[in-house]
Amino acid sequence: MIARDPISDLPTHQVTNQVPPLIDYNLFASDPGLQEALRREGAGWAEETVHAFGAAIGTADSIARGEAANRHPPQLHSFDRFGQRIDFVEYHPAYHALMAQGLEAGIHSLPASGRPGAFVAHAALEYMLTQVEPGVCCPITMTGASLAVLLQNEGLHAEWAPLIIANAYDPAAGPATAKRGATIGMAMTEKQGGSDVRTNTTLARPLGGDHYELTGHKWFCSAPMSDGFLTLAQAPGGLTCFFTPRWRPDGKRNPIFIQRLKDKLGNRSNASAEIEYAGALAWRIGEEGRGVATIMAMVNQTRLDAALVCAGMMRHCAVEAVHHAAHRKAFGMHLIDQPLMQTVLADLVIEAEAATALVMRIARAFDGGSPEETAFARIGAAIAKFWVTKRLPNHSYEALECLGGNGFVEEGPLARFYREAPVNAIWEGSGNVNALDVLRALARERASLGALRMELEASKGLDRDYDRFLSGIEAGLQDLASAEPTARRLVEDLALGLQASLLLRHAPADVAETFVAGRLNGGMRGCYGALPAGLKLGPILERAVVGSAKVPATLK
């Protein structure tokens, strides 16, 4: 954010009808859907912390850091000036500042506390952080989720858990034992296989006990300056999970060489790299040949976070669009006073609110408490990951269009969010991978199917259109053995059903009615803003109003 004391009376013209920047507001206090979900899903005890973080992350300074971290992406320094290999990634100070804000707030460590509702509090904090800068959420998510894998090696967990759950950020390049806190990355895919990790060729040579030496490459390594990496390699017994630290116990650098950084469409503040293991020391986690099953303990959590950061971005896109429309005039009226624009804006707000309700409900399931909740977390994360990540790209585009040409330029936030939007649909399994995972869970895990039905049927009888839609879902569940060609259709219906069920039970009546009318039983159209006539849109728009923006009195 560059402007300071701007002058609007210029020698050639006066600057008018421009929208004030959306800064210095509390992302929690201005989001009724998030407030309601935090309390409803069992994290009311964290409200003071979440409120304080919402105020801190919504300041002009924090928002400016998000812009700067993307405008100045990380740079790789392979060698020092003497020709010695250093493999150092240099980040802009804004990136480090945002990492510190997130880690010091405990986004990564809250789930490890075991307190009921801790996953929900984690979700609320990360949902707000992503509205300022999504790129830092990737390393923060992986750091916290890594604990679920490290638990399967008692020695590693005892050594690394205190550094991982420390609410501190230490970007120094050196042994983790000398640092205040550690971050963890992940390196799974390879050139020849991508998501098909069973084709990995990286070799793991046993050294004795759970020590191995890795030789091979990784096509994508997220956050390459992390203190350690969870990775997959072929051991004598098959594909196996390993933990590879950047530094060996003797204080020497592990031979992990960064070949280059990816030049990505979005997610530019966060480095992604191609790396090579040249005899890197690693510790086995789990049994040989059980690598995928071992690392899935982390993947399910990161799938939830992929969905929740998309929900956060949806919220920000909707708020930016409403904020612009409330201040910008065209054809003699504020944009928000124009009926067709009202429909578009309300549709964007509804989509964001439904996504928020879904991810916060699944976060509660991750807190456990019963076999049913554990089963729902397993299947719910894959459903939400599939659907919410699919909805964000078009949602961000539609919000951008509401700002016209001002939305398309990189000086505003929505161009950056539009470039960011596709990444979470790719990360942690593409749409097809997640859809097929849902099918497998429904077919093989009776508990998952039962938990899903329980959640859907909780709203049975509340709305006739919902009941008809639920009957269609049940019909689709009857022949799972031949459902692969239409798996995307089924998972889409499941996601819509879950969102409608939650809104019917917990959201204001106008929000639930509009979602059902606009999404179920043929209501879904190819673009936002094609809602049926006769809906009450004013109360919906009010849920995305920030600061001095006003909803037309005629809509209230």
Side-chain angles (χ1 to χ4, degrees), residues 113 285 297 471:
S113 71
I285 304 176
S471 297

Side-chain angles (χ1 to χ4, degrees), residues 91 95-96 98-100 102-103 107-109 122 126 129 133-147 164 168-169 182-186 221-229 264 267 269-272 298 302 305 309 420 424 427:
Y91 295 87
Y95 173 90
H96 292 305
L98 288 170
M99 283 289 293
L103 291 169
I107 293 176
H108 64 303
S109 63
H122 152 84
E126 191 158 29
L129 178 60
E133 175 37 43
V136 297
C137 293
C138 174
I140 291 174
T141 282
M142 290 188 298
T143 297
S146 69
L147 288 168
I164 291 171
Y169 176 57
T183 57
I184 305 300
M186 188 160 56
C221 172
S222 297
M225 288 304 290
S226 298
D227 297 288
F229 305 95
K264 297 176 292 183
N267 197 245
S269 70
N270 173 47
S272 299
M298 176 183 188
T302 51
D305 281 14
V309 297
E420 183 80 21
N424 284 288
W427 188 50

Side-chain angles (χ1 to χ4, degrees), residues 322-556:
V322 171
H323 179 77
H324 179 88
H327 290 91
R328 178 81 168 178
K329 286 184 177 180
F331 309 108
M333 301 169 62
H334 280 102
L335 291 172
I336 202 170
D337 292 327
Q338 301 179 17
L340 186 53
M341 180 59 83
Q342 292 165 359
T343 309
V344 173
L345 295 171
D347 214 3
L348 292 173
V349 175
I350 282 292
E351 189 72 40
E353 187 129 344
T356 302
L358 179 61
V359 297
M360 295 295 280
R361 170 63 185 95
I362 296 168
R364 174 161 67 90
F366 270 78
D367 281 312
S370 71
E372 291 79 13
E373 285 293 275
T374 301
F376 184 64
R378 159 74 177 90
I379 196 165
I383 292 171
K385 164 67 168 64
F386 172 87
W387 182 240
V388 181
T389 62
K390 286 274 181 257
R391 295 296 283 168
L392 174 61
N394 201 48
H395 185 278
S396 62
Y397 148 71
E398 197 72 57
L400 184 153
E401 186 182 307
C402 291
L403 276 64
N406 288 344
F408 197 71
V409 297
E410 292 285 354
E411 291 158 302
L414 291 191
R416 169 161 55 98
F417 276 66
Y418 180 61
R419 286 188 287 102
E420 183 80 21
V423 68
N424 284 288
I426 299 165
W427 188 50
E428 298 298 29
S430 65
N432 284 355
V433 169
N434 277 268
L436 293 174
D437 195 32
V438 171
L439 276 191
R440 280 191 292 271
L442 291 173
R444 301 176 187 175
E445 303 170 14
R446 294 179 62 86
S448 291
L449 179 58
L452 180 63
R453 280 197 168 116
M454 186 183 304
E455 191 69 26
L456 291 168
E457 292 174 0
S459 293
K460 198 171 184 178
L462 296 180
D463 184 278
R464 284 180 296 178
D465 285 334
Y466 176 75
D467 289 349
R468 283 195 292 272
F469 189 77
L470 191 57
S471 297
I473 289 177
E474 276 299 330
L477 292 173
Q478 299 309 308
D479 187 18
L480 294 172
S482 59
E484 182 172 333
T486 57
R488 285 188 172 216
R489 180 181 292 270
L490 175 61
V491 179
E492 176 179 326
D493 285 348
L494 291 173
L496 288 170
L498 288 171
Q499 289 178 322
S501 178
L502 288 163
L503 295 179
L504 285 168
R505 282 178 283 150
H506 305 301
D510 293 324
V511 172
E513 178 187 356
T514 301
F515 182 86
V516 171
R519 302 292 187 275
L520 308 189
N521 297 316
M524 181 78 81
R525 299 292 177 137
C527 63
Y528 288 96
L531 293 172
L535 298 166
K536 294 180 181 178
L537 305 182
I540 296 169
L541 294 176
E542 284 185 329
R543 294 172 76 81
V545 166
V546 175
S548 61
K550 290 182 173 59
V551 172
T554 54
L555 286 177
K556 294 184 179 180

